[in-house]
Amino acid sequence: MSHDRTGDVIDDEPPAIPTHDPRCDGRGWVDRDGDPAIPCYDCKPNLRPAELRRALLDADKRRENP
Ligand SMILES: [Zn+2]
């Protein structure tokens, strides 16, 4: 823990960024009973919509071959 020049405590911890959908039920579903059911894309990345997967793939390729 550090202090600024006035002696106030500086919050060193960056705000937590959720890396996982907070609505996930822990078994891979955001809304299992929905119509259509909504999967958690963090738990079930193979269920990501195709265009989103393609966009991620393109971004990866751009990173490898700028
Ligand atoms: Zn999940």
Side-chain angles (χ1 to χ4, degrees):
M1 191 179 288
S2 47
H3 299 78
D4 69 9
R5 62 190 172 81
T6 65
D8 285 342
V9 172
I10 298 172
D11 190 4
D12 295 330
E13 295 292 315
I17 299 167
T19 56
H20 194 157
D21 195 320
R23 297 168 300 169
C24 176
D25 66 1
R27 287 176 309 218
W29 295 98
V30 168
D31 184 4
R32 180 72 181 93
D33 300 319
D35 183 23
I38 303 170
C40 170
Y41 295 136
D42 293 308
C43 293
K44 300 178 182 289
N46 57 314
L47 295 182
R48 268 181 213 277
E51 50 185 86
L52 189 61
R53 267 166 49 191
R54 223 172 294 127
L56 289 172
L57 212 67
D58 288 348
D60 280 348
K61 280 186 191 143
R62 266 197 302 274
R63 214 173 310 141
E64 287 163 15
N65 313 303

